[in-house]
Amino acid sequence: MKLQSLFLVLALSFGTCVVNAQQFDGGVATYFSKTSFDFENFGGREMSEQMKKQFAERMKSRLEKTFTLTFTKDESIYEEEEKLDAPGAGGGMRFMGGGFAQGGIYKNIAEDTYARENDLMGKSFLVKDTLNKLDWKLEKESKMIGQYAAFKATAVRKIDENPFEAMRRRRDQDADSTAVAAPKEEVITAWYTPQIPVSQGPDEYWGLPGLILEVSAGRTVILCNKIVINPKEGLEIEKPKKGDEVSREEYEAIVVEKTKEMAERFGNGRRRGPGGRG
């Protein structure tokens, strides 16, 4: 254990010198994100193992994604890499009569600003707000991630259940009085490297004394697998600017309202008999 700690210290010292010895403009980090699916709470109790396997395969493109984080000391943009859908997989999350799509996450640490372009049922919104801040606790654990010495940090975050999960949970609780309530908080574990001296990270994570290379939160794990410092083609960080400007709170209220509308339309459709008659 002592030998491993010494190795990490040497790697950290050497790596920091390498980054600081050159003109550091920023870099591009590639992340792989994987989310496990909660079959039990999605009706999986009634699914056979074969059905679960088939469903998991169809959901793979939605639950396993690749992102790039283009970053400088102050700014970053976190964007999903474009890829073609498999035949029959469909093109993203769809609502009745519309769609839902999210753009890249822009963070400006110097200005404490967050921005993201979202499309909701045919309408564009520009979500602008201050950055979400986590109260990170720096732990003593360390490990190597690729060639970088990484250190552990944890934080506790309140869980805001999205409208779809809330609808499903209310439905389950109505059907079963013993249904377990959703947890109110979750522990986030991150691994950061001071070898890259920026407080940036994937998704909405930031605020540690080094680039965040790995995050575990709930059912999602995000892992960095490639970093290019000062890429030859340069860095391009474009701040989102399209859509009706709203705060996070305002946008969430709009999503809730649209979700209710969709649920009512869907429910009315199910209640109607053949030909649309009651």
Side-chain angles (χ1 to χ4, degrees):
M1 180 63 92
K2 290 182 179 179
L3 182 61
Q4 182 185 24
S5 299
L6 177 61
F7 178 68
L8 284 166
V9 170
L10 291 173
L12 175 60
S13 301
F14 175 74
T16 302
C17 290
V18 170
V19 172
N20 290 338
Q22 58 183 317
Q23 179 62 41
F24 177 70
D25 296 321
V28 178
T30 303
Y31 293 84
F32 177 70
S33 173
K34 183 174 182 178
T35 302
S36 60
F37 193 78
D38 186 0
F39 279 105
E40 295 304 314
N41 285 325
F42 192 75
R45 299 183 185 90
E46 290 78 31
M47 287 185 181
S48 66
E49 290 303 314
Q50 182 64 23
M51 289 175 64
K52 288 182 181 180
K53 184 177 179 180
Q54 293 175 348
F55 188 79
E57 190 62 32
R58 291 177 63 88
M59 289 291 292
K60 186 174 181 179
S61 63
R62 303 286 173 260
L63 301 177
E64 298 182 6
K65 298 182 179 183
T66 301
F67 295 84
T68 56
L69 177 74
T70 304
F71 62 90
T72 63
K73 182 179 179 181
D74 294 331
E75 293 182 286
S76 69
I77 185 78
Y78 184 70
E79 301 173 295
E80 182 180 355
E81 287 190 351
E82 293 185 5
K83 62 181 178 181
L84 295 175
D85 285 316
M93 188 179 294
R94 296 290 174 184
F95 291 101
M96 292 181 179
F100 173 73
Q102 293 181 303
I105 297 174
Y106 171 84
K107 301 191 292 287
N108 189 314
I109 294 173
E111 298 178 357
D112 189 25
T113 56
Y114 160 99
R116 189 172 197 174
E117 294 175 0
N118 290 343
D119 290 327
L120 178 63
M121 300 181 75
K123 189 170 182 178
S124 298
F125 294 93
L126 175 60
V127 184
K128 293 184 69 176
D129 218 312
T130 56
L131 294 171
N132 278 331
K133 297 177 177 65
L134 292 173
D135 185 15
W136 292 108
K137 178 184 178 183
L138 304 186
E139 308 286 357
K140 295 181 180 179
E141 295 177 53
S142 58
K143 66 179 180 178
M144 294 298 294
I145 298 181
Q147 63 180 332
Y148 296 97
F151 297 84
K152 183 179 180 180
T154 58
V156 177
R157 175 175 64 184
K158 179 182 177 182
I159 297 177
D160 293 322
E161 199 172 38
N162 70 52
F164 305 102
E165 292 175 338
M167 287 169 56
R168 175 185 55 77
R169 195 168 296 280
R170 282 197 298 270
R171 180 199 64 200
D172 292 345
Q173 288 177 339
D174 289 342
D176 181 5
S177 60
T178 63
V180 179
K184 303 298 182 182
E185 295 180 335
E186 66 179 355
V187 176
I188 299 168
T189 300
W191 295 85
Y192 66 95
T193 177
Q195 289 177 239
I196 303 178
V198 297
S199 292
Q200 302 286 359
D203 206 87
E204 295 194 25
Y205 302 107
W206 68 286
L208 286 169
L211 181 68
I212 298 174
L213 301 181
E214 181 179 330
V215 176
S216 297
R219 295 180 176 275
T220 299
V221 175
I222 305 172
L223 179 63
C224 180
N225 53 27
K226 181 181 178 181
I227 301 175
V228 178
I229 300 297
N230 297 341
K232 293 181 180 179
E233 60 273 19
L235 298 169
E236 184 177 347
I237 299 178
E238 185 175 346
K239 187 175 182 178
K241 54 187 177 182
K242 297 179 181 178
D244 293 345
E245 186 173 326
V246 293
S247 66
R248 274 196 192 89
E249 185 176 356
E250 290 169 336
Y251 181 72
E252 289 169 1
I254 293 170
V255 171
V256 169
E257 185 60 32
K258 294 296 183 182
T259 304
K260 289 180 180 178
E261 291 177 8
M262 181 188 68
E264 290 172 359
R265 286 159 55 189
F266 179 70
N268 290 338
R270 291 186 62 180
R271 284 194 294 269
R272 284 198 285 271
R277 296 178 181 178

